């Protein structure tokens, strides 16, 4: 490699931004052998050639990553509120626990695995709340309702500190503030559960189902 080679390369964060994906997603692709960085720094950090990276992903100039697997977000609720994580990259600061579907998984499988891997909590996945193409990333998002396996065992911890700085239960009243722009069916789902727990019968059965 020539001495000036590193000057033309970008960090993982910048490469991910150029692709419209999360840096953790690019890191996972690298770990899985789907992509290979152009250079590894003496400190062990990947550096990327964007043209080569797009070729490895089969992306034409200006194209998207339409063959990427869906991302499943677990909407985990309990008497303590909604389970959220604080992202290490702060974009956005708070998020639902989410991750890419792996081959052979159903959305429910992914939700269960991701929550266990990232927070240590065992959950039971329920119905799919909805799906959309995320307006910022262009990724297909699937939102799955879930609850703890044991209502008396809801302790959570940062089990994957590569992506998250903190995980916690937040009151349903705080969800809109912490997760601005929350997908509307998810917001209705959380709101319906909050009303149900408070005994408010003004919410219709349709709203309780998140439709």
């Amino acid at each position: 490699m020539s001495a000036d080679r590193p000057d033309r390369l970008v960090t993982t964060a910048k490469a991910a931004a150029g692709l419209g994906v999360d840096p953790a997603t690019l890191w996972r692709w690298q770990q899985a052998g789907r992509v290979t960085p152009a250079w590894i720094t003496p400190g062990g950090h990947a550096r990327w050639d964007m043209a080569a990276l797009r070729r490895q992903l089969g992306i034409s100039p200006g194209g998207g990553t339409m063959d990427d697997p869906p991302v499943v977000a677990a909407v985990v609720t309990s008497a303590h509120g909604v389970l959220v994580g604080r992202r290490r990259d702060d974009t956005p600061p708070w998020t639902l626990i989410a991750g890419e579907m792996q081959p052979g998984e159903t959305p429910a499988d992914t939700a269960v695995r991701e929550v266990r891997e990232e927070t240590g909590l065992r959950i039971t996945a329920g119905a799919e709340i909805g799906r959309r193409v995320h307006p910022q990333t262009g990724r297909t998002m699937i939102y799955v309702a879930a609850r703890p396996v044991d209502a008396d065992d809801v302790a959570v911890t940062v089990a994957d500190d590569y992506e998250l700085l903190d995980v916690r239960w937040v009151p349903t009243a705080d969800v809109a503030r912490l997760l601005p722009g929350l997908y509307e069916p998810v917001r209705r789902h959380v709101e319906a559960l909050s009303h149900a727990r408070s005994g408010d019968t003004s919410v219709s059965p349709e709203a309780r189902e998140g439709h």
Side-chain angles (χ1 to χ4, degrees), residues 20-61:
V21 302
D22 191 275
T25 298
L26 182 54
W27 180 83
R28 285 172 175 165
W29 289 344
Q30 179 186 347
Q31 297 305 302
R34 184 176 178 185
V35 295
T36 303
W39 185 52
I40 300 294
T41 71
H45 301 290
R47 294 294 182 264
W48 304 89
D49 179 305
M50 289 304 298
L53 179 57
R54 289 190 173 95
R55 285 195 297 271
Q56 291 178 64
L57 292 169
I59 303 172
S60 59

Side-chain angles (χ1 to χ4, degrees), residues 3 14-15 21 27 42 46 48 76 99 103 107 110 118 123 131 133 140 145 153 171 182 184 188 193-194 197:
K14 289 184 177 180
V21 302
W27 180 83
W48 304 89
V76 188
T110 304
E118 296 189 8
I123 63 167
R131 59 177 67 197
V133 174
T140 297
D153 183 10
L182 185 64
E184 182 63 17
R188 293 200 304 267
L193 290 175
S194 176
R197 289 195 174 97

Side-chain angles (χ1 to χ4, degrees), residues 20-207:
V21 302
D22 191 275
T25 298
L26 182 54
W27 180 83
R28 285 172 175 165
W29 289 344
Q30 179 186 347
Q31 297 305 302
R34 184 176 178 185
V35 295
T36 303
W39 185 52
I40 300 294
T41 71
H45 301 290
R47 294 294 182 264
W48 304 89
D49 179 305
M50 289 304 298
L53 179 57
R54 289 190 173 95
R55 285 195 297 271
Q56 291 178 64
L57 292 169
I59 303 172
S60 59
T65 54
M66 298 304 292
D67 61 337
D68 288 337
V71 174
V72 177
V75 186
V76 188
T77 57
S78 75
H80 299 274
V82 181
L83 182 61
V84 300
R86 184 168 185 176
R87 295 170 59 98
R88 184 170 291 281
D89 61 13
D90 211 39
T91 56
W94 293 91
T95 181
L96 297 169
I97 306 303
E100 292 181 352
M101 286 182 65
Q102 299 297 321
E105 286 186 335
T106 66
D109 292 336
T110 304
V112 170
R113 175 179 56 77
E114 285 289 335
V115 172
R116 186 65 182 272
E117 289 179 352
E118 296 189 8
T119 75
L121 182 69
R122 294 185 303 121
I123 63 167
T124 298
E128 182 179 309
I129 298 170
R131 59 177 67 197
R132 66 169 173 169
V133 174
H134 196 282
Q136 272 75 52
T137 67
R139 301 291 298 275
T140 297
M141 296 290 302
I142 303 173
Y143 299 85
V144 175
R147 58 180 175 78
V149 168
D150 184 347
D152 295 322
D153 183 10
V154 295
V156 292
T157 187
V158 178
D160 179 4
D161 61 5
Y162 180 81
E163 295 185 47
L164 300 176
L165 288 171
D166 188 18
V167 292
R168 65 176 66 175
W169 295 100
V170 298
T172 53
D174 292 342
V175 171
R177 176 178 60 82
L178 289 177
L179 303 175
L182 185 64
Y183 182 43
E184 182 63 17
V186 173
R187 187 194 65 76
R188 293 200 304 267
H189 171 79
V190 171
E191 184 180 76
L193 290 175
S194 176
H195 283 292
R197 289 195 174 97
S198 67
D200 185 347
T201 59
S202 64
V203 180
S204 69
E206 290 78 11

